[in-house]
Amino acid sequence: MKKQPNILFIMADDHASKAISSYDGGINYTPNIDRIANEGMRFNHCYVTNSICTPSRASIITGTYNHVNAVTTLETPINNRIPNVAKHLKTGGYQTAIIGKWHLGEGKSHEPSGFDFWSVLPGQGEYFDPVFIEMGQEIEEKGYVTDIITNKTLKWLKGTDNQKPFFLMCHHKAPHREWEPHPKNRSLFEDDIVIPSTFDDDYKNRARAAAEAKMRIKDDLTYDDLGLVQPEGGSEIGEKSRPFSNKRKIPNPKNVSALCLIDKDTGENFRFNTNKELSHFKYQRYIKRYLRTIQSIDEGVGKLLDFLDENDMSENTLVIYTSDQGFFLGEHGWFDKRFMYEESLQMPFLARFPAEVEAGTVCQEIACNVDFAPTFLDFAELPIPTYMQGVSLRPLLNQLDLENWQKVAYHRYWMHKDPDHNAYSHYGIRTQRYKLIYWYNDGFDLPGTNHGGEDKEWELFDCKKDPLELFNIYMEPEYLEIVSELTLLLEKKMSEIGDDPAHL
Ligand code: CA
């Protein structure tokens, strides 16, 4: 029998593809992550089925949609007795481990299962001196979280039995909010980063959800997000980031010249003549802090790839780099994710496996995070259980079967009007050309959600003519036929995966 390959799955948290240089975002340089793309395949249309941490992770590990695995929101931890891909791989002879961010719940019923070794951050985890839960025991680590996760990953790799394949999930916390870089990277990116053309979006010609979301760089970032404080007795303190929170948003005061912001590390003072100057300052602080945290991930990826090279393991290891969803980097004026708009829907996905994947290839076909688990099993030459709803991406990686490939990605966001971001619930599909979204605007009393009452709305975007998604063409007469075709596709997909449509 052919030797089963090792699988090294590296996942970041909230890493937009635009912030990986092989995706040509033009805002940073990630030479080590790029190596995976240069020596393997880059996916341009990999999509998340629910653009938020916990549900995406549940789909990745189980190969199922969230109405099936019951992890629909941040408040619905996974039941760890249900089957997952690590359990199948372990049964199939693999050594299994997960290191870093888990975020699928804590305690006996929710902690990682199916792993020989696990060392994970509780909840979101901390950037500095983080606590880990390792095989059920709390341990304190000293240092910077990304480096610690890389080192723990290397340590586990060094201890593996080279007679058996391994499945290793290395899950970084970065670049999750509140974007705290390693001190050595605090002054990276001296020059300003270019502001996206939709930064001052007025949200016209769109469903109301866009204007109602509280994810604006101008209005909704907190002092902690940007590493800032105000002088003692500063009068413009800003509103609370959510009810009962002690975090406050940086205000946009009428008299902006009276505002002084102070860098909490260096003590540097910042003053502003106009509100536009202040909002651009917020953008630069935000994007640079975000990109600086990614620098440490890139370094860590380099160390893991070097380790594989030095130990003659690169040929027989499938290496994947991805993120649990995309992220807005100022597009539409936003930070955060949640929406089905492209920056948040698209996941970076890079895969290297020299035995089967041609170096430097690009895949334009549709892939989804529910496809990851079947892909791992397919490469391991193990059966893909019928409960899994995704398909193996191995044919795409081998550049086969492109004609009959899936044409639709399904997305559903359940957390209607969560108190921090006020994002509306919706579902819809993305095809190569179009995106259809139904804003059903109701939480159905799910944990972490609110009741709706808002009118339902539809959106249609032509991703080719309007890649920035500024014009909802759902009501345009010339798209009548497209709307009915896509509505049928949406209904077909929902019926196929067993999700209940709310629009019928
Ligand atoms: Ca995330």
Side-chain angles (χ1 to χ4, degrees):
M1 192 184 147
K2 217 171 79 182
K3 199 175 170 221
Q4 288 167 304
N6 304 311
I7 302 168
L8 172 57
F9 179 80
I10 311 168
M11 182 162 78
D13 191 349
D14 297 357
H15 192 169
S17 57
K18 187 179 162 186
I20 293 175
S21 40
S22 69
Y23 278 96
D24 294 328
I27 56 172
N28 66 337
Y29 181 48
T30 51
N32 296 298
I33 298 172
D34 289 1
R35 255 190 79 187
I36 304 170
N38 296 339
E39 296 165 11
M41 185 178 275
R42 182 183 89 208
F43 284 66
N44 282 352
H45 295 281
C46 182
Y47 296 117
V48 66
T49 185
N50 184 352
S51 186
I52 187 85
C53 307
T54 307
S56 171
R57 286 154 196 269
S59 287
I60 288 169
I61 206 162
T62 62
T64 60
Y65 291 91
N66 296 137
H67 62 281
V68 170
N69 59 46
V71 184
T72 49
T73 73
L74 293 175
E75 315 299 330
T76 50
I78 199 162
N79 171 352
N80 63 10
R81 290 180 297 276
I82 65 173
N84 71 42
V85 70
K87 293 181 187 181
H88 299 305
L89 288 164
K90 187 169 151 71
T91 313
Y94 273 71
Q95 310 166 78
T96 57
I98 181 167
I99 293 161
K101 186 169 168 183
W102 168 246
H103 206 193
L104 281 165
E106 285 155 43
K108 280 287 164 223
S109 306
H110 311 300
E111 65 193 22
S113 61
F115 296 96
D116 297 317
F117 176 76
W118 54 275
S119 185
V120 298
L121 298 162
Q124 300 284 6
E126 298 290 333
Y127 272 101
F128 291 99
D129 300 339
V131 168
F132 279 76
I133 313 288
E134 189 164 300
M135 307 293 283
Q137 300 298 316
E138 197 173 296
I139 51 167
E140 284 175 33
E141 300 281 359
K142 287 274 167 240
Y144 186 62
V145 69
T146 304
D147 296 345
I148 296 168
I149 291 169
T150 299
N151 292 338
K152 279 176 178 282
T153 303
L154 283 169
K155 189 176 167 198
W156 186 82
L157 275 173
K158 283 175 191 160
T160 52
D161 172 357
N162 62 11
Q163 297 304 305
K164 285 171 77 181
F166 66 76
F167 172 61
L168 172 54
M169 303 185 99
C170 168
H171 288 189
H172 284 294
K173 167 192 169 53
H176 193 278
R177 194 179 189 177
E178 294 155 334
W179 314 296
E180 292 184 56
H182 190 287
K184 74 177 178 193
N185 290 328
R186 276 181 193 154
S187 54
L188 279 180
F189 305 104
E190 278 183 11
D191 294 336
D192 276 359
I193 309 284
V194 64
I195 296 177
S197 58
T198 58
F199 185 76
D200 292 310
D201 196 348
D202 59 9
Y203 311 113
K204 283 183 183 153
N205 314 307
R206 241 75 48 76
R208 277 166 303 121
E212 295 297 324
K214 291 186 192 288
M215 311 186 331
R216 287 191 214 170
I217 289 169
K218 268 180 210 176
D219 302 319
D220 300 310
L221 286 170
T222 67
Y223 291 89
D224 287 344
D225 286 334
L226 299 187
L228 294 167
V229 289
Q230 270 210 23
E232 201 69 34
S235 56
E236 294 283 358
I237 54 172
E239 63 173 292
K240 289 184 173 178
S241 67
R242 61 184 291 175
F244 311 112
S245 170
N246 54 8
K247 295 192 175 179
R248 289 192 177 265
K249 296 179 179 182
I250 302 165
N252 261 325
K254 274 204 178 104
N255 182 11
V256 72
S257 55
L259 182 70
C260 177
L261 298 173
I262 303 173
D263 185 304
K264 76 174 168 59
D265 298 313
T266 65
E268 190 181 353
N269 284 21
F270 304 100
R271 294 184 180 277
F272 314 92
N273 295 313
T274 63
N275 287 81
K276 195 173 177 88
E277 229 176 83
L278 173 61
S279 70
H280 286 191
F281 167 81
K282 288 181 185 176
Y283 173 73
Q284 295 300 338
R285 286 286 291 197
Y286 159 62
I287 191 74
K288 288 181 182 180
R289 285 167 65 83
Y290 177 89
L291 295 176
R292 286 166 187 153
T293 69
I294 288 169
Q295 217 58 35
S296 295
I297 298 180
D298 190 63
E299 270 175 42
V301 168
K303 286 183 188 161
L304 299 183
L305 296 180
D306 287 349
F307 177 87
L308 296 179
D309 284 346
E310 287 155 13
N311 292 277
D312 216 12
M313 292 159 98
S314 294
E315 271 300 306
N316 200 41
T317 302
L318 169 65
V319 181
I320 288 165
Y321 186 87
T322 188
S323 161
D324 60 348
Q325 4 71 210
F327 212 66
F328 294 105
L329 301 181
E331 298 86 3
H332 308 288
W334 292 324
F335 63 94
D336 219 75
K337 54 255 182 178
R338 293 159 202 275
F339 283 150
M340 209 184 146
Y341 301 126
E342 200 68 3
E343 295 81 2
S344 122
L345 181 68
Q346 190 208 346
M347 309 166 83
F349 191 83
L350 310 171
R352 184 186 80 173
F353 186 51
E356 289 187 31
V357 182
E358 194 184 328
T361 44
V362 175
C363 179
Q364 304 289 3
E365 299 296 324
I366 285 179
C368 186
N369 60 343
V370 294
D371 301 334
F372 299 177
T375 305
F376 303 152
L377 292 171
D378 197 2
F379 275 99
E381 308 279 353
L382 292 169
I384 299 168
T386 51
Y387 76 81
M388 287 194 180
Q389 297 178 294
V391 291
S392 166
L393 303 174
R394 196 174 180 183
L396 291 187
L397 287 154
N398 280 283
Q399 302 180 74
L400 302 169
D401 193 26
L402 302 184
E403 288 219 343
N404 299 313
W405 193 252
Q406 60 188 350
K407 303 279 184 264
V408 163
Y410 176 69
H411 183 269
R412 178 166 183 177
Y413 178 75
W414 303 62
M415 295 179 63
H416 187 56
K417 293 175 83 176
D418 78 285
D420 286 295
H421 310 82
N422 204 43
Y424 285 15
S425 56
H426 59 280
Y427 58 72
I429 50 166
R430 167 76 153 97
T431 66
Q432 287 283 351
R433 178 72 189 263
Y434 297 104
K435 189 179 287 180
L436 179 72
I437 310 176
Y438 179 62
W439 297 92
Y440 65 94
N441 299 342
D442 200 324
F444 300 117
D445 277 344
L446 281 165
T449 67
N450 285 303
H451 254 313
E454 290 78 16
D455 291 338
K456 321 295 181 197
E457 283 178 282
W458 286 92
E459 280 187 324
L460 174 70
F461 294 99
D462 185 332
C463 305
K464 193 173 166 198
K465 285 190 183 164
D466 177 28
L468 299 178
E469 298 171 317
L470 296 174
F471 301 97
N472 173 16
I473 49 171
Y474 185 82
M475 297 301 284
E476 302 292 318
E478 65 263 41
Y479 285 94
L480 209 62
E481 224 168 279
I482 301 287
V483 164
S484 62
E485 267 173 41
L486 285 166
T487 310
L488 280 177
L489 273 181
L490 171 68
E491 283 162 11
K492 193 170 156 236
K493 186 72 186 177
M494 291 187 87
S495 133
E496 202 180 285
I497 63 174
D499 201 358
D500 287 329
H503 65 277
L504 292 175

